[in-house]
Amino acid sequence: MTETLEHPSAGSGDRAVVARLSTLDRFLPVWIGAAMIAGLLAGRWIPGLGAALDAVKLDGISLPIAVGLLAMMYPVLAKVRYDRLDTVTRDTRLLVPSLVLNWLVGPAVMFALAWLFLPDLPEYRTGLIIVGLARCIAMVIIWNDLARGDREAAAVLVALNSVFQVLAFGLLGWFYLDLLPGWLGLDTAALEVSAWDIARSVLIFLGVPLAAGYASRRFGERAKGRVWYETRFLPRVGPVALYGLLFTIVILFALQGDQITSRPLDVARIALPLLAYFALMWAGSFALGKAVGLGYERTATLAFTAAGNNFELAIAVAVATFGVTSGQALAGVVGPLIEVPVLVALVYVSLWARRRLSFRNPLERINAETAETGA
């Protein structure tokens, strides 16, 4: 959520992985935990907080929360290099598996895990399914850098996911929350899901910051140059994403306080399918990247972009569609608290695999493909 890191040199030690994070990112689980505690205390100590937050609304949610949600999204989308789409779209060994993993496998895996772990908790289950539909666009660039993945490929996959989410999120939400459970004979009586409500939330809380991020990149570079944009502008706006996330968490936990403190086991149950999801998606994607002949850098990129999720969008959709005090919103808020330490651990696993496993050199693969074409 903060500024993308400089790519580490080949000789730097793996033990310095966490040290290469900025202070904000290094202690992200601590900040999220502190925001949760602050929210719980605010909910108990500030009378009339809920009424004040509902005084002015945007798309059915309070204006302060809407501002926090938009602040989470814009800096990440301002970092994307929209002019580099063709550098990845030409590599079908990376592009096709990435699209399949992100838009077919990932949502299906989360759907299965949500029903497996939370068959009796429909609100949390729905929240997790929404998380599964919100594909990576945020912290994945940092995890990819730490694991020495392909930075440009990660940025392009992030851009593709951003655009695709605007087009497909509402349709997939309707499919996984309404149509598919009906086909499978699952009980959806407790759910009242409007595909239009979800699509409208995505258009507002992803479409608006996506357009703003694209405009910032295009006109900022045109006016001041790419060096200024990358070295001066992005470092200033980057931390705003984290501040927006923390602000939103404080408000959500202030309004969710009674539910959280009275049901700690529910929070633990939300965490279990998330842990299983990260492990399955990362390991399966890493194995697939190696199997199709990608080099280590793009294999790592494939794994992290498939395993990461856009919790900012999931929170925005859950809050706008189901309400700020809903179980769906709580499931989204618990997400980043689990994602950060798990994906940091997977960075170490990735670096270990880099040393122990043999990967095809990208230059060797390109030469081989050229020879095959010539033959």
Side-chain angles (χ1 to χ4, degrees):
M1 295 175 190
T2 56
E3 181 58 17
T4 304
L5 307 174
E6 288 303 315
H7 204 292
S9 63
S12 58
D14 296 345
R15 290 179 299 179
V17 167
V18 175
R20 290 196 297 269
L21 286 167
S22 70
T23 301
L24 285 174
D25 294 320
R26 189 185 314 163
F27 298 104
L28 183 57
V30 176
W31 308 140
I32 292 176
M36 291 177 176
I37 295 172
L40 292 174
L41 295 177
R44 289 180 177 273
W45 293 348
I46 302 177
L49 180 61
L53 290 174
D54 284 335
V56 182
K57 293 185 177 181
L58 173 64
D59 191 40
I61 67 174
S62 68
L63 184 60
I65 296 177
V67 171
L69 294 172
L70 292 171
M72 290 191 297
M73 303 296 296
Y74 165 71
V76 177
L77 294 166
K79 294 178 183 179
V80 174
R81 290 285 300 274
Y82 297 95
D83 59 337
R84 295 291 182 89
L85 292 177
D86 61 335
T87 64
V88 169
T89 54
R90 290 197 302 263
D91 188 350
T92 56
R93 295 190 192 214
L94 175 63
L95 180 62
V96 173
S98 178
L99 292 176
V100 170
L101 288 166
N102 272 288
W103 297 104
L104 296 179
V105 177
V109 168
M110 187 66 89
F111 175 86
L113 291 172
W115 275 96
L116 178 65
F117 283 90
L118 303 171
D120 57 329
L121 297 172
E123 288 191 356
Y124 301 152
R125 184 177 65 235
T126 300
L128 286 182
I129 293 173
I130 290 174
V131 168
L133 299 178
R135 308 313 302 166
C136 69
I137 69 167
M139 291 289 288
V140 67
I141 294 178
I142 291 179
W143 312 135
N144 180 75
D145 264 18
L146 293 174
R148 303 175 188 173
D150 187 320
R151 178 183 294 175
E152 290 299 332
V156 171
L157 292 179
V158 161
L160 291 175
N161 281 337
S162 302
V163 174
F164 204 87
Q165 282 185 74
V166 175
L167 302 175
F169 194 103
L171 179 62
L172 290 173
W174 167 73
F175 176 78
Y176 279 103
L177 295 175
D178 186 12
L179 188 61
L180 183 58
W183 286 351
L184 299 177
L186 300 173
D187 180 17
T188 59
L191 300 178
E192 295 182 1
V193 180
S194 167
W196 165 243
D197 287 343
I198 294 177
R200 184 180 60 199
S201 299
V202 173
L203 287 173
I204 293 174
F205 295 107
L206 179 60
V208 170
L210 175 62
Y214 175 80
S216 296
R217 167 72 71 172
R218 179 168 184 177
F219 295 112
E221 289 188 356
R222 180 179 297 177
K224 297 285 189 175
R226 178 163 296 169
V227 173
W228 174 88
Y229 187 86
E230 297 280 354
T231 62
R232 300 290 297 276
F233 179 75
L234 289 183
R236 292 183 178 180
V237 302
V240 172
L242 177 56
Y243 301 147
L245 174 63
L246 296 178
F247 172 78
T248 304
I249 288 175
V250 169
I251 300 301
L252 290 175
F253 270 71
L255 300 176
Q256 295 257 12
D258 291 339
Q259 181 177 355
I260 295 168
T261 55
S262 63
R263 298 180 179 180
L265 291 180
D266 287 357
V267 175
R269 289 186 62 183
I270 294 171
L272 288 176
L274 286 169
L275 289 169
Y277 173 84
F278 292 132
L280 289 172
M281 288 300 297
W282 188 91
S285 303
F286 197 92
L288 177 62
K290 189 175 186 307
V292 299
L294 294 175
Y296 168 79
E297 289 77 10
R298 292 205 164 183
T299 296
T301 297
L302 178 67
F304 282 101
T305 52
N309 287 86
N310 181 4
F311 284 102
E312 296 91 337
L313 177 62
I315 293 171
V317 171
V319 169
T321 306
F322 299 100
V324 70
T325 61
S326 65
Q328 292 89 342
L330 177 61
V333 171
V334 172
L337 185 64
I338 306 301
E339 180 187 31
V340 173
V342 170
L343 290 188
V344 167
L346 289 174
V347 167
Y348 284 99
V349 175
S350 184
L351 293 171
W352 174 87
R354 180 175 180 263
R355 296 192 306 268
R356 298 299 181 89
L357 303 178
S358 60
F359 291 86
R360 194 171 187 182
N361 185 290
L363 183 59
E364 293 177 357
R365 178 171 62 81
I366 292 173
N367 291 337
E369 290 174 350
T370 302
E372 291 173 2
T373 303

